[in-house]
Amino acid sequence: MTRIPDIESFEERAAIAEYDGGLSRSEAENVAARGQGFPDAAAYWQWLADYVVARRLP
């Protein structure tokens, strides 16, 4: 099964975690990434970068 990130949902969840939850941006992005099945924000952003470069799903 391929995970397809939802960028809008990621950004919204990260913003809520940051501003309402009092987390740093980095921590908030990790929360948002885990919510989409990624281990952390680095894995989320890497997936997107690989997708952009390959122009196809990994």
Side-chain angles (χ1 to χ4, degrees):
M1 179 173 143
T2 300
R3 298 168 292 190
I4 301 175
D6 179 343
I7 297 170
E8 185 175 327
S9 176
F10 175 87
E11 292 295 339
E12 181 178 10
R13 181 172 248 184
I16 291 168
E18 182 178 7
Y19 294 106
D20 292 344
L23 299 178
S24 69
R25 183 62 186 186
S26 176
E27 293 169 325
E29 286 187 355
N30 284 332
V31 167
R34 284 192 297 272
Q36 292 194 32
F38 293 90
D40 57 24
Y44 173 87
W45 291 117
Q46 186 61 56
W47 190 100
L48 287 175
D50 292 344
Y51 174 74
V52 168
V53 169
R55 295 185 181 203
R56 63 181 171 78
L57 294 177

